[in-house]
mmCIF file of all heavy atoms in Angstrom:
data_model
loop_
_atom_site.group_PDB
_atom_site.id
_atom_site.type_symbol
_atom_site.label_atom_id
_atom_site.label_comp_id
_atom_site.label_asym_id
_atom_site.label_seq_id
_atom_site.Cartn_x
_atom_site.Cartn_y
_atom_site.Cartn_z
ATOM 1 N N GLY A 1 47.130 -5.620 -32.885
ATOM 2 C CA GLY A 1 48.064 -5.085 -33.875
ATOM 3 C C GLY A 1 47.738 -5.474 -35.299
ATOM 4 O O GLY A 1 48.498 -5.184 -36.216
ATOM 5 N N GLY A 2 46.586 -6.138 -35.508
ATOM 6 C CA GLY A 2 46.185 -6.575 -36.842
ATOM 7 C C GLY A 2 45.688 -5.434 -37.718
ATOM 8 O O GLY A 2 45.512 -4.302 -37.265
ATOM 9 N N PHE A 3 45.432 -5.763 -38.980
ATOM 10 C CA PHE A 3 44.946 -4.780 -39.958
ATOM 11 C C PHE A 3 43.437 -4.635 -39.841
ATOM 12 O O PHE A 3 42.708 -5.624 -39.721
ATOM 13 C CB PHE A 3 45.314 -5.215 -41.371
ATOM 14 C CG PHE A 3 44.893 -4.244 -42.432
ATOM 15 C CD1 PHE A 3 45.610 -3.083 -42.640
ATOM 16 C CD2 PHE A 3 43.780 -4.488 -43.212
ATOM 17 C CE1 PHE A 3 45.222 -2.172 -43.620
ATOM 18 C CE2 PHE A 3 43.383 -3.588 -44.192
ATOM 19 C CZ PHE A 3 44.115 -2.434 -44.394
ATOM 20 N N MET A 4 42.943 -3.393 -39.897
ATOM 21 C CA MET A 4 41.513 -3.113 -39.792
ATOM 22 C C MET A 4 40.926 -2.923 -41.190
ATOM 23 O O MET A 4 41.339 -2.033 -41.925
ATOM 24 C CB MET A 4 41.274 -1.853 -38.957
ATOM 25 C CG MET A 4 41.891 -1.848 -37.579
ATOM 26 S SD MET A 4 41.099 -2.932 -36.411
ATOM 27 C CE MET A 4 39.711 -1.950 -35.901
ATOM 28 N N ASN A 5 39.972 -3.780 -41.572
ATOM 29 C CA ASN A 5 39.247 -3.642 -42.837
ATOM 30 C C ASN A 5 38.096 -2.673 -42.659
ATOM 31 O O ASN A 5 37.458 -2.648 -41.608
ATOM 32 C CB ASN A 5 38.676 -4.992 -43.280
ATOM 33 C CG ASN A 5 39.719 -5.910 -43.846
ATOM 34 O OD1 ASN A 5 40.661 -5.472 -44.479
ATOM 35 N ND2 ASN A 5 39.564 -7.201 -43.602
ATOM 36 N N SER A 6 37.782 -1.906 -43.695
ATOM 37 C CA SER A 6 36.676 -0.950 -43.599
ATOM 38 C C SER A 6 35.444 -1.475 -44.317
ATOM 39 O O SER A 6 35.539 -2.239 -45.266
ATOM 40 C CB SER A 6 37.073 0.402 -44.181
ATOM 41 O OG SER A 6 37.322 0.280 -45.553
ATOM 42 N N SER A 7 34.289 -1.030 -43.837
ATOM 43 C CA SER A 7 33.029 -1.338 -44.506
ATOM 44 C C SER A 7 32.658 -0.150 -45.386
ATOM 45 O O SER A 7 33.346 0.868 -45.386
ATOM 46 C CB SER A 7 31.939 -1.574 -43.464
ATOM 47 O OG SER A 7 31.690 -0.373 -42.744
ATOM 48 N N ASP A 8 31.575 -0.279 -46.117
ATOM 49 C CA ASP A 8 31.089 0.857 -46.897
ATOM 50 C C ASP A 8 30.675 1.964 -45.942
ATOM 51 O O ASP A 8 30.027 1.725 -44.934
ATOM 52 C CB ASP A 8 29.885 0.450 -47.754
ATOM 53 C CG ASP A 8 30.272 -0.501 -48.873
ATOM 54 O OD1 ASP A 8 31.448 -0.483 -49.282
ATOM 55 O OD2 ASP A 8 29.399 -1.258 -49.325
ATOM 56 N N GLY A 9 31.056 3.180 -46.273
ATOM 57 C CA GLY A 9 30.743 4.312 -45.415
ATOM 58 C C GLY A 9 29.369 4.890 -45.710
ATOM 59 O O GLY A 9 28.786 4.639 -46.760
ATOM 60 N N GLU A 10 28.878 5.661 -44.752
ATOM 61 C CA GLU A 10 27.614 6.359 -44.952
ATOM 62 C C GLU A 10 27.824 7.841 -44.680
ATOM 63 O O GLU A 10 28.511 8.210 -43.725
ATOM 64 C CB GLU A 10 26.503 5.781 -44.073
ATOM 65 C CG GLU A 10 26.419 6.360 -42.690
ATOM 66 C CD GLU A 10 25.267 5.785 -41.874
ATOM 67 O OE1 GLU A 10 25.376 4.621 -41.491
ATOM 68 O OE2 GLU A 10 24.311 6.529 -41.600
ATOM 69 N N TYR A 11 27.267 8.678 -45.524
ATOM 70 C CA TYR A 11 27.401 10.124 -45.382
ATOM 71 C C TYR A 11 26.595 10.574 -44.168
ATOM 72 O O TYR A 11 25.422 10.234 -44.026
ATOM 73 C CB TYR A 11 26.910 10.824 -46.645
ATOM 74 C CG TYR A 11 27.035 12.325 -46.577
ATOM 75 C CD1 TYR A 11 28.275 12.932 -46.685
ATOM 76 C CD2 TYR A 11 25.923 13.121 -46.385
ATOM 77 C CE1 TYR A 11 28.404 14.308 -46.615
ATOM 78 C CE2 TYR A 11 26.034 14.503 -46.318
ATOM 79 C CZ TYR A 11 27.280 15.087 -46.432
ATOM 80 O OH TYR A 11 27.407 16.447 -46.356
ATOM 81 N N VAL A 12 27.229 11.339 -43.264
ATOM 82 C CA VAL A 12 26.549 11.784 -42.041
ATOM 83 C C VAL A 12 26.460 13.299 -41.930
ATOM 84 O O VAL A 12 26.068 13.811 -40.894
ATOM 85 C CB VAL A 12 27.223 11.199 -40.772
ATOM 86 C CG1 VAL A 12 27.032 9.707 -40.704
ATOM 87 C CG2 VAL A 12 28.683 11.555 -40.695
ATOM 88 N N GLY A 13 26.778 14.032 -42.975
ATOM 89 C CA GLY A 13 26.656 15.490 -42.970
ATOM 90 C C GLY A 13 27.974 16.197 -42.743
ATOM 91 O O GLY A 13 28.951 15.614 -42.272
ATOM 92 N N ASN A 14 28.013 17.473 -43.075
ATOM 93 C CA ASN A 14 29.210 18.317 -42.944
ATOM 94 C C ASN A 14 30.421 17.735 -43.658
ATOM 95 O O ASN A 14 31.556 17.958 -43.243
ATOM 96 C CB ASN A 14 29.552 18.577 -41.486
ATOM 97 C CG ASN A 14 28.706 19.670 -40.887
ATOM 98 O OD1 ASN A 14 28.043 20.409 -41.600
ATOM 99 N ND2 ASN A 14 28.721 19.767 -39.577
ATOM 100 N N GLY A 15 30.209 16.943 -44.690
ATOM 101 C CA GLY A 15 31.309 16.368 -45.447
ATOM 102 C C GLY A 15 31.924 15.131 -44.811
ATOM 103 O O GLY A 15 32.936 14.635 -45.280
ATOM 104 N N PHE A 16 31.344 14.620 -43.730
ATOM 105 C CA PHE A 16 31.887 13.441 -43.047
ATOM 106 C C PHE A 16 31.256 12.155 -43.564
ATOM 107 O O PHE A 16 30.064 12.108 -43.870
ATOM 108 C CB PHE A 16 31.641 13.526 -41.537
ATOM 109 C CG PHE A 16 32.612 14.397 -40.807
ATOM 110 C CD1 PHE A 16 32.291 15.702 -40.488
ATOM 111 C CD2 PHE A 16 33.853 13.910 -40.427
ATOM 112 C CE1 PHE A 16 33.179 16.509 -39.803
ATOM 113 C CE2 PHE A 16 34.754 14.711 -39.751
ATOM 114 C CZ PHE A 16 34.417 16.008 -39.438
ATOM 115 N N VAL A 17 32.060 11.106 -43.628
ATOM 116 C CA VAL A 17 31.600 9.763 -43.954
ATOM 117 C C VAL A 17 31.935 8.871 -42.768
ATOM 118 O O VAL A 17 33.074 8.839 -42.293
ATOM 119 C CB VAL A 17 32.288 9.231 -45.234
ATOM 120 C CG1 VAL A 17 31.891 7.792 -45.491
ATOM 121 C CG2 VAL A 17 31.951 10.109 -46.419
ATOM 122 N N LYS A 18 30.936 8.145 -42.257
ATOM 123 C CA LYS A 18 31.120 7.266 -41.103
ATOM 124 C C LYS A 18 31.311 5.834 -41.588
ATOM 125 O O LYS A 18 30.540 5.348 -42.418
ATOM 126 C CB LYS A 18 29.897 7.357 -40.185
ATOM 127 C CG LYS A 18 30.011 6.534 -38.925
ATOM 128 C CD LYS A 18 28.855 6.798 -37.983
ATOM 129 C CE LYS A 18 27.642 6.036 -38.403
ATOM 130 N NZ LYS A 18 26.548 6.061 -37.435
ATOM 131 N N SER A 19 32.345 5.154 -41.077
ATOM 132 C CA SER A 19 32.648 3.781 -41.477
ATOM 133 C C SER A 19 32.990 2.931 -40.263
ATOM 134 O O SER A 19 33.553 3.423 -39.295
ATOM 135 C CB SER A 19 33.844 3.740 -42.432
ATOM 136 O OG SER A 19 33.590 4.476 -43.594
ATOM 137 N N THR A 20 32.673 1.650 -40.366
ATOM 138 C CA THR A 20 33.063 0.681 -39.347
ATOM 139 C C THR A 20 34.308 -0.041 -39.838
ATOM 140 O O THR A 20 34.375 -0.466 -40.986
ATOM 141 C CB THR A 20 31.936 -0.334 -39.098
ATOM 142 O OG1 THR A 20 30.773 0.366 -38.677
ATOM 143 C CG2 THR A 20 32.327 -1.348 -38.030
ATOM 144 N N TYR A 21 35.291 -0.168 -38.975
ATOM 145 C CA TYR A 21 36.535 -0.881 -39.277
ATOM 146 C C TYR A 21 36.608 -2.110 -38.380
ATOM 147 O O TYR A 21 36.422 -2.004 -37.169
ATOM 148 C CB TYR A 21 37.747 0.026 -39.033
ATOM 149 C CG TYR A 21 37.800 1.186 -39.984
ATOM 150 C CD1 TYR A 21 37.081 2.344 -39.747
ATOM 151 C CD2 TYR A 21 38.563 1.112 -41.140
ATOM 152 C CE1 TYR A 21 37.104 3.414 -40.639
ATOM 153 C CE2 TYR A 21 38.601 2.178 -42.038
ATOM 154 C CZ TYR A 21 37.874 3.315 -41.778
ATOM 155 O OH TYR A 21 37.897 4.353 -42.665
ATOM 156 N N THR A 22 36.864 -3.289 -38.980
ATOM 157 C CA THR A 22 36.911 -4.545 -38.240
ATOM 158 C C THR A 22 38.268 -5.203 -38.443
ATOM 159 O O THR A 22 38.748 -5.320 -39.572
ATOM 160 C CB THR A 22 35.804 -5.496 -38.726
ATOM 161 O OG1 THR A 22 34.549 -4.813 -38.661
ATOM 162 C CG2 THR A 22 35.731 -6.741 -37.866
ATOM 163 N N CYS A 23 38.877 -5.664 -37.346
ATOM 164 C CA CYS A 23 40.193 -6.306 -37.402
ATOM 165 C C CYS A 23 40.098 -7.660 -38.092
ATOM 166 O O CYS A 23 39.211 -8.468 -37.781
ATOM 167 C CB CYS A 23 40.753 -6.468 -35.991
ATOM 168 S SG CYS A 23 42.380 -7.250 -35.964
ATOM 169 N N LYS A 24 41.022 -7.931 -39.024
ATOM 170 C CA LYS A 24 41.071 -9.212 -39.722
ATOM 171 C C LYS A 24 41.443 -10.348 -38.776
ATOM 172 O O LYS A 24 41.012 -11.472 -38.966
ATOM 173 C CB LYS A 24 42.100 -9.158 -40.853
ATOM 174 C CG LYS A 24 41.674 -8.344 -42.044
ATOM 175 C CD LYS A 24 42.783 -8.201 -43.063
ATOM 176 C CE LYS A 24 43.102 -9.511 -43.737
ATOM 177 N NZ LYS A 24 44.064 -9.344 -44.840
ATOM 178 N N SER A 25 42.248 -10.055 -37.737
ATOM 179 C CA SER A 25 42.757 -11.096 -36.858
ATOM 180 C C SER A 25 41.815 -11.454 -35.711
ATOM 181 O O SER A 25 41.504 -12.616 -35.492
ATOM 182 C CB SER A 25 44.103 -10.680 -36.262
ATOM 183 O OG SER A 25 45.030 -10.421 -37.277
ATOM 184 N N CYS A 26 41.363 -10.431 -34.972
ATOM 185 C CA CYS A 26 40.596 -10.715 -33.752
ATOM 186 C C CYS A 26 39.125 -10.313 -33.822
ATOM 187 O O CYS A 26 38.358 -10.619 -32.920
ATOM 188 C CB CYS A 26 41.253 -10.056 -32.540
ATOM 189 S SG CYS A 26 41.135 -8.252 -32.508
ATOM 190 N N GLY A 27 38.709 -9.598 -34.876
ATOM 191 C CA GLY A 27 37.316 -9.218 -35.031
ATOM 192 C C GLY A 27 36.901 -7.973 -34.268
ATOM 193 O O GLY A 27 35.735 -7.589 -34.302
ATOM 194 N N HIS A 28 37.827 -7.321 -33.568
ATOM 195 C CA HIS A 28 37.519 -6.082 -32.843
ATOM 196 C C HIS A 28 37.039 -5.032 -33.842
ATOM 197 O O HIS A 28 37.583 -4.901 -34.931
ATOM 198 C CB HIS A 28 38.781 -5.595 -32.112
ATOM 199 C CG HIS A 28 38.636 -4.289 -31.425
ATOM 200 N ND1 HIS A 28 37.753 -4.075 -30.402
ATOM 201 C CD2 HIS A 28 39.284 -3.106 -31.610
ATOM 202 C CE1 HIS A 28 37.853 -2.816 -29.985
ATOM 203 N NE2 HIS A 28 38.784 -2.214 -30.709
ATOM 204 N N ALA A 29 35.974 -4.284 -33.485
ATOM 205 C CA ALA A 29 35.403 -3.295 -34.404
ATOM 206 C C ALA A 29 35.415 -1.901 -33.780
ATOM 207 O O ALA A 29 35.237 -1.751 -32.575
ATOM 208 C CB ALA A 29 33.981 -3.681 -34.775
#
């Protein structure tokens, strides 16, 4: 239930940006 922080995104085409989100509390990504 923790907050997910985002990393810098990378453009992957068709207007989409891919980003990794990591939980501040448990580290789940």
Side-chain angles (χ1 to χ4, degrees):
F3 182 77
M4 305 288 279
N5 284 326
S6 65
S7 65
D8 291 335
E10 87 178 71
Y11 181 74
V12 293
N14 280 346
F16 280 98
V17 175
K18 183 173 80 171
S19 300
T20 301
Y21 294 84
T22 307
C23 180
K24 287 174 68 173
S25 302
C26 70
H28 175 62

